[in-house]
Amino acid sequence: MEHYGGRRTKAEQDAATVEIGYALCSAAFAAAVVFGAVAGPALLFDLPRTAELLLVRAGEIVAPVLFFARVVSVLLRFRQPGGLREPGGLSQPGSQPSQPGRTSPDS
């Protein structure tokens, strides 16, 4: 997506659609897990009323904040040049990490 103001190719549109879907699904999963971890004890165990209320309210606050933060972080990382990287953290295909003791392919 290097050209601003121009039309996107079909591949760029598809990549953006997939990235948005990934951002939303991973954010929903993370928010559900955090809500369950924070509010779960209040829903499973017989706790004092104040503790139940506090845990459920904390879960209701933390989960949406985490959801929003996850969506924004995934989409900003996608938007940055070189934001899509290989699982090993290498941005260029065929590039090698600069680690002591490793030889480069042309040596």
Side-chain angles (χ1 to χ4, degrees):
M1 291 184 256
E2 296 94 31
H3 44 246
Y4 296 127
R7 298 185 63 87
R8 292 184 186 166
T9 65
K10 182 68 174 157
E12 289 172 336
Q13 291 174 352
D14 291 345
T17 301
V18 167
E19 199 67 20
I20 290 168
Y22 169 73
L24 293 173
C25 289
S26 67
F29 179 75
V33 167
V34 167
F35 180 80
V38 173
L43 302 173
L44 292 175
F45 302 114
D46 189 25
L47 298 176
R49 178 80 177 132
T50 306
E52 283 185 14
L53 189 62
L54 181 68
L55 287 173
V56 171
R57 294 289 184 246
E60 289 175 348
I61 292 170
V62 172
V65 169
L66 176 66
F67 179 87
F68 180 73
R70 176 70 180 159
V71 168
V72 169
S73 70
V74 168
L75 294 180
L76 286 178
R77 186 180 42 195
F78 173 72
R79 189 173 177 209
Q80 293 174 353
L84 296 177
R85 295 178 179 257
E86 295 293 320
L90 303 175
S91 59
Q92 300 289 334
S95 67
Q96 289 189 344
S98 59
Q99 296 177 354
R102 297 258 175 129
T103 59
S104 62
D106 48 340
S107 63

